[in-house]
Amino acid sequence: MSEPVRTTVEDGIAVIEIDNPPVNALSQAVRQGLVEAVQAADADPAINAIMIYGAGRTFIAGADIREFGKPPLPPSLPDVINDIEDVSTPTVCALHGTALGGGLETALGTHYRVALASARFGLPEVNLGILPGAGGTQRLPRIVPIAKAVKMITGGGMIGAKEALELGLIDEIVEGDDVRAAGVAMAKRLVAEGASARPTSARAANTVSAEDFAQMMAMVSKKARGLKAPINCMKAIEAAMTLPFEEGMTRERELFTELFTDPQSPAMIHAFFSEREVAKIPEMKTGTPRDIRKVGVVGGGTMGAGIATSALLAGLDVTLAERDTEAAEKAAATVSSHLAGAVKVGKLAQAKYDAIMGGAFRTTTDYGDFADADLVIEAVFESMEVKKDVFGQLDKICKPGAILASNTSYLNVDDIAAMTSRPQDVIGLHFFSPAHMMRLLEVVVGAKTSPDVVASGFALGKRMKKIAVRSGVCDGFIGNRILNAYARAINGAVLAGASPYDVDRAMQEFGLAMGLFRVADLAGLDIGWANRKRMAETRDPREQYSEFADRICELGRFGRKTGRGFYIHDKDKGELPDDEVLAIIANERADKGIAARDISDQEIIDRYMAAMINEAAKIVGEGIALRPLDVDITLLNGYGFPRWRGGPMHYADAVGLEKILNDIKTFAEEDDYFWQPAPLLEQLVAEGKTFASLNR
Ligand code: 3HC
Ligand code: NAI
């Protein structure tokens, strides 16, 4: 392999190129090569300026995450960057693509910065459960205002070149795509002007009052919900404000090490890599995505309107069919308001909005308008009869090769496909609500779905900036099947003595944004009720069925939309617990002869997790999910599972599969029908293996 860092000399400028594809991560070889190249150039009297840039599609995307968790390899990145900053020859960094994490820290260690107009900058370490540990928390506050440093470091997002210039993070923007030329030009200009080295560390840090900082800390803590990294980021920024640079660096190292050795960081790194691994499916090799430009959407309710919005935001042409003109108009208004929301937050330009509403989007009541669609996504009522009817009609109208997709939450995609003469073109595309916001897309592969159609589903997901997960066909696919399992376990805990409010508190303390019953109230209790009625015919008599949710629905309490559900939704006071709900639950306990007992938060979580992991192990064992990591990514992106816990399978490995299996066996003493251990879980325990071993 060629050296990842190369120097050439051009008119007295040492031009240092970093070439470590795909993203120029700061591996040991890059760190070593970089510091040696800079020091060699500094020692050479013929060199008047140094210029560093990245080869390929991007500047440095950060430390090499694949080295994390392994014994450290010197030189360390903080030392490398300090050494670069210390040279007396003026040093320029030329940036393109994304300068992220250690990449931006390297740039901050150079003396001058120029960037292409398309370049973006960020410190995303917090998303990996750590902090910028190579001086980023000390140098950034010496350039940008504290409020901005707090936002960038604790938020982990990116900013564009224009903002970076305004903030003084870069000195110049250059149009075009020749980053090397931009860097060399700046270096030559600096030499001509007689500029000298300008170390960031020598500047005074920006500050805010202790009161303002305390306020920022309070906001960050509230948002962190159990994640430790943002808190340590804040402590490091505080050190930048209050300590001399070197002491600040020492403090940054302490705070970094604390995070680096905590289980939260490996969990988030698992999530990072798994989000990339989920796209690696067999059909990526055997299938070729079909060209999709024109999309039809059937049904413009909650999901149809969201799916149409998502497709329009991805630049696709969309025709949405409703049952009648009135419903079509309502759907058009919903789509328009979703898109207006995207304009408001800067996700969509006004001109694009106008172009969409004036051409790329239309509604109809005639499926005949789908004749030239490349893909039609059905999002009508969750009824097999209605769906079969829709697919029968689509089969007659759509052109050969068009993909016919269903957004069903639970129903059998093979049965739907059987209504057409082309089951190879039928697939499930299960979006999550709100469909234009949620990142998860389950791509449900039927028995006859062709590899091209599967590959097309993944390509569509990517185009819509979603994370696609491959699922086989079963009731509820990966996500909702697991949801049903843990909902049953939680209902069991409620019957045993917990209240819905205890459950929500325990789940929120565990790291979820909302507990199960809050979510149910938000989504609408009628959806789950309809599904339970559908399942009633096939329900096994051995199932310990909890009825309180049905009783609540029978009172017309469907959650937030009716003002009452598990909670009272008061306009002024928010969500309030309700004695009527507690009475319904108490009645059911009395009917069933259950004496309520104290259930600790820990027991609630143990039941929740054991049910989730057990069902997930069944799903992996049956081949519905390709790997445990596919389950993790589903729960992280569709069900609010805390990212810093890495997903249920990662969590299971962390606490130990034996403990999970033992919990299941304990709970089975109360209900041995529900708590049947997954064969895969038993096998892994017997072999002393982990779920992670199946990801490889
Ligand atoms: N280290 C190692 N591998 C990395 C990496 C990194 N920092 N960043 C990306 N990769 C890998 C990906 O895993 C992927 O590998 P694969 O092809 O084998 O799946 C490949 O590079 C391409 O990545 P993407 O598929 O994500 O490519 P995109 O073009 O979609 O995105 C990106 C590029 C925006 C750079 C995105 O990869 C990204 O956000 N990377 C992570 C950036 C990051 O978190 N940096 C901070 C690192 S921690 C740090 O710097 C600590 C320091 O403060 C001490
Ligand atoms: P909804 O009731 O809000 O919308 C359904 C829409 O379909 C209505 O506007 C109705 O007029 C229209 N419709 C019914 N029959 C039609 C037909 N033959 N032709 C054209 N339009 C027709 O329902 P929602 O919530 O949007 O659900 C739709 C589908 O998406 C269901 O299969 C559901 O299970 C699934 N889903 C729902 C989620 C949710 O959170 N609401 C999440 C993921 C999937």
Side-chain angles (χ1 to χ4, degrees):
M1 218 178 88
S2 66
E3 291 298 315
V5 181
R6 290 184 290 267
T7 306
T8 49
V9 178
E10 187 177 324
D11 298 338
I13 313 289
V15 177
I16 300 175
E17 182 191 62
I18 299 164
D19 185 9
N20 184 29
V23 295
N24 291 324
L26 289 154
S27 64
Q28 190 277 338
V30 172
R31 295 195 299 277
Q32 175 116 29
L34 190 55
V35 71
E36 283 175 3
V38 171
Q39 288 179 333
D42 187 45
D44 184 343
I47 296 297
N48 302 316
I50 300 168
M51 197 281 278
I52 302 170
Y53 80 106
R57 61 176 158 131
T58 183
F59 186 66
I60 301 166
D64 187 341
I65 307 168
R66 291 185 202 278
E67 282 182 5
F68 288 9
K70 297 183 186 151
L73 298 165
S76 80
L77 189 57
D79 289 348
V80 167
I81 294 175
N82 285 342
D83 288 350
I84 292 174
E85 192 184 51
D86 281 350
V87 300
S88 56
T89 313
T91 303
V92 171
C93 204
L95 305 159
H96 76 300
T98 45
L100 297 177
L104 183 55
E105 292 176 294
T106 303
L108 291 173
T110 63
H111 306 141
Y112 299 90
R113 291 164 287 278
V114 57
L116 298 187
S118 54
R120 289 183 303 155
F121 315 86
L123 292 169
E125 283 87 345
V126 70
N127 301 327
L128 300 174
I130 53 174
L131 55 74
T137 66
Q138 303 307 300
R139 287 193 179 90
L140 190 68
R142 286 177 155 74
I143 296 182
V144 310
I146 293 301
K148 191 72 209 174
V150 165
K151 187 161 182 221
M152 285 182 72
I153 295 173
T154 66
M158 288 194 231
I159 60 168
K162 198 164 156 259
E163 189 178 354
L165 184 67
E166 283 161 12
L167 289 167
L169 195 60
I170 56 172
D171 302 293
E172 190 188 351
I173 295 181
V174 172
E175 297 297 332
D177 55 11
D178 193 343
V179 68
R180 186 183 188 281
V184 169
M186 178 181 255
K188 283 186 181 169
R189 207 178 58 235
L190 289 169
V191 173
E193 289 168 357
S196 48
R198 188 185 63 172
T200 309
S201 62
R203 298 193 198 183
N206 292 310
T207 51
V208 288
S209 70
E211 266 174 354
D212 286 352
F213 192 77
Q215 230 173 37
M216 291 178 197
M217 179 65 118
M219 270 168 63
V220 168
S221 308
K222 194 169 165 218
K223 252 180 86 182
R225 278 209 315 270
L227 177 62
K228 294 175 187 165
I231 311 299
N232 279 23
C233 288
M234 289 300 286
K235 290 181 185 167
I237 295 169
E238 191 174 26
M241 294 196 305
T242 52
L243 299 175
F245 181 77
E246 301 223 324
E247 285 174 41
M249 286 295 283
T250 306
R251 182 73 182 127
E252 180 191 85
R253 188 86 321 227
E254 283 164 14
L255 292 161
F256 177 85
T257 306
E258 214 174 279
L259 297 173
F260 205 64
T261 50
D262 189 276
Q264 291 192 354
S265 173
M268 293 181 86
I269 289 169
H270 164 73
F272 175 85
F273 283 121
S274 298
E275 262 165 19
R276 283 149 183 84
E277 284 302 305
V278 276
K280 294 172 188 161
I281 55 161
E283 290 84 357
M284 276 298 151
K285 288 193 187 121
T286 56
T288 310
R290 292 183 190 164
D291 194 19
I292 297 176
R293 286 178 210 189
K294 295 192 168 181
V295 176
V297 177
V298 196
T302 311
M303 294 307 290
I307 293 166
T309 306
S310 210
L312 290 164
L313 288 172
L316 296 160
D317 177 285
V318 175
T319 303
L320 184 152
E322 256 293 348
R323 288 184 294 175
D324 51 46
T325 317
E326 198 186 325
E329 276 168 11
K330 196 171 157 220
T334 314
V335 171
S336 152
S337 93
H338 288 342
L339 291 172
V343 172
K344 214 168 156 194
V345 297
K347 254 172 73 182
L348 182 70
Q350 182 66 42
K352 283 212 170 131
Y353 170 90
D354 295 339
I356 289 172
M357 295 315 286
F361 174 59
R362 67 204 70 78
T363 56
T364 181
T365 53
D366 178 7
Y367 291 180
D369 291 344
F370 293 145
D372 64 346
D374 305 304
L375 160 72
V376 179
I377 305 172
E378 165 278 310
V380 301
F381 303 131
E382 183 77 341
S383 145
M384 187 53 107
E385 290 318 302
V386 182
K387 295 208 191 272
K388 281 185 171 174
D389 175 56
V390 170
F391 275 78
Q393 292 190 59
L394 292 177
D395 188 35
K396 289 194 193 94
I397 289 157
C398 293
K399 68 183 182 188
I403 298 169
L404 308 183
S406 174
N407 180 50
T408 178
S409 308
Y410 289 95
L411 302 174
N412 189 311
V413 173
D414 290 328
D415 291 351
I416 294 173
M419 297 311 293
T420 72
S421 60
R422 43 174 130 180
Q424 74 282 359
D425 294 336
V426 177
I427 193 162
L429 291 179
H430 183 215
F431 291 82
F432 287 71
S433 182
H436 57 300
M437 307 264 203
M438 292 287 286
R439 286 186 81 204
L440 184 65
L441 173 67
E442 275 181 310
V443 176
V444 185
V445 181
K448 294 188 179 160
T449 310
S450 84
D452 288 357
V453 171
V454 180
S456 307
F458 272 75
L460 178 77
K462 193 163 185 195
R463 185 152 180 192
M464 290 178 163
K465 298 200 175 78
K466 299 206 183 287
I467 297 174
V469 175
R470 187 189 189 285
S471 173
V473 173
C474 65
D475 208 280
F477 319 121
I478 298 175
N480 281 345
R481 178 167 154 189
I482 291 176
L483 164 70
N484 272 355
Y486 67 70
R488 278 168 64 185
I490 294 267
N491 286 349
V494 169
L495 279 189
S499 79
Y501 318 115
D502 295 334
V503 167
D504 284 356
R505 187 194 55 244
M507 287 177 79
Q508 279 158 223
E509 265 164 30
F510 185 69
L512 283 108
M514 276 198 254
L516 182 69
F517 294 104
R518 276 214 167 89
V519 173
D521 266 12
L522 184 66
L525 302 185
D526 45 331
I527 299 180
W529 192 28
N531 194 46
R532 290 193 298 277
K533 285 192 237 175
R534 175 177 69 86
M535 301 298 283
E537 287 164 26
T538 52
R539 189 170 297 131
D540 193 291
R542 288 169 296 173
E543 181 181 335
Q544 292 185 12
Y545 183 73
S546 41
E547 295 158 24
F548 57 87
D550 296 350
R551 293 291 94 80
I552 290 168
C553 288
E554 283 158 13
L555 297 173
R557 303 176 52 139
F558 295 152
R560 203 172 280 196
K561 61 187 164 191
T562 58
R564 287 190 164 212
F566 284 100
Y567 290 84
I568 298 170
H569 298 271
D570 187 280
K571 250 199 254 117
D572 302 320
K573 295 187 202 140
E575 285 158 349
L576 305 170
D578 189 352
D579 286 342
E580 192 172 82
V581 167
L582 297 177
I584 289 171
I585 295 166
N587 279 343
E588 185 174 348
R589 287 190 196 121
D591 287 349
K592 292 185 166 154
I594 299 168
R597 62 178 173 87
D598 279 342
I599 309 260
S600 67
D601 286 7
Q602 188 58 48
E603 183 179 342
I604 292 170
I605 295 303
D606 284 346
R607 283 172 181 262
Y608 163 64
M609 287 312 305
M612 186 177 326
I613 293 158
N614 199 34
E615 196 65 28
K618 289 177 189 169
I619 284 171
V620 174
E622 292 165 20
I624 299 291
L626 285 179
R627 300 146 294 199
L629 67 85
D630 297 70
V631 173
D632 283 341
I633 294 311
T634 303
L635 271 291
L636 291 180
N637 291 288
Y639 297 83
F641 197 83
R643 197 173 171 89
W644 55 267
R645 292 196 187 270
M649 308 312 255
H650 181 87
Y651 173 92
D653 281 348
V655 301
L657 299 192
E658 201 162 0
K659 136 105 178 125
I660 303 293
L661 185 59
N662 286 340
D663 279 355
I664 292 169
K665 288 179 178 164
T666 307
F667 302 141
E669 287 165 18
E670 269 174 34
D671 179 355
D672 62 356
Y673 174 70
F674 176 70
W675 293 103
Q676 295 178 41
L680 177 64
L681 182 58
E682 291 189 304
Q683 184 194 328
L684 290 173
V685 171
E687 293 172 357
K689 289 189 179 158
T690 59
F691 284 122
S693 70
L694 305 176
N695 285 334
R696 284 175 214 126

